[in-house]
Amino acid sequence: MYSLLVINGPNLNLLGTRQPEVYGKTTLAQVESLCLAVAKNTGDKATCMQSNHEGTLVEAIHDARGKYDGIVLNAGAYTHTSIALMDAISSTEIPTVELHLSNIHAREEFRHKSYLASVAVGQICGFGPNGYKLAIEALLHYLAEAAK
Ligand code: DQA
């Protein structure tokens, strides 16, 4: 059984009402329920948290050491700006899947750059809320392969 931490960053608490044409109508509570259900279905465990604060997200990654086997991270706009989050992932060496609801590569140029991509196991973007399911499945598969 693997324990996963699903982290959502700034403005994702507004999911459902925030630019629904870009991010859809699914709320954060629904996304989190989906994550819990996907992990439960495979006999694993997911824990979800959200913060609008960069330092809180850095500390959540630090605190994940020894508690979680992997992280699914939608860092929102910090993806494109935060060397601190990139360093937190590489310092803790917790396998992390970078996730975005929207296809960041098909949007404004400033969203094409991700500081997290170089330290993440991989990136999933453009699949809306279903991306969380894909990210959890990909992370579980990665962890199982790494344990062989
Ligand atoms: C996002 C994409 C980011 O560019 C944006 O700042 C977000 C959400 C996504 O899930 O598509 O806040 O991470």
Side-chain angles (χ1 to χ4, degrees), residues 7-146:
I7 303 178
N8 280 292
N11 300 306
L12 292 162
N13 54 312
L14 302 180
L15 276 182
T17 54
R18 172 194 184 197
Q19 293 176 274
E21 69 287 1
V22 178
Y23 298 114
K25 289 187 180 160
T26 306
T27 64
L28 180 62
Q30 289 168 328
V31 163
E32 292 183 338
S33 299
L34 170 75
C35 292
L36 302 189
V38 170
K40 198 175 171 193
N41 206 27
T42 54
D44 299 285
K45 188 170 183 283
T47 302
C48 301
M49 62 89 60
Q50 187 275 333
S51 175
N52 294 316
H53 304 282
E54 187 175 14
T56 304
L57 296 170
V58 168
E59 284 169 0
I61 295 169
H62 292 178
D63 292 346
R65 269 180 307 186
K67 283 190 205 149
Y68 298 100
D69 302 297
I71 295 174
V72 172
L73 175 60
N74 185 349
Y78 289 140
T79 304
H80 318 298
T81 61
S82 181
I83 295 169
L85 280 178
M86 176 181 81
D87 284 350
I89 294 166
S90 53
S91 307
T92 57
E93 296 182 331
I94 302 171
T96 299
V97 173
E98 176 186 350
L99 168 82
H100 304 283
L101 292 145
S102 63
N103 179 356
I104 56 171
H105 303 288
R107 299 183 63 195
E108 303 95 322
E109 198 163 345
F110 64 84
R111 294 186 205 274
H112 298 180
K113 166 76 188 166
S114 164
Y115 280 99
L116 311 180
S118 64
V119 294
V121 170
Q123 183 192 70
I124 292 174
C125 69
F127 295 101
N130 191 44
Y132 286 85
K133 179 174 184 278
L134 300 175
I136 289 172
E137 288 169 354
L139 185 53
L140 289 172
H141 185 264
Y142 174 89
L143 291 170
E145 287 295 311

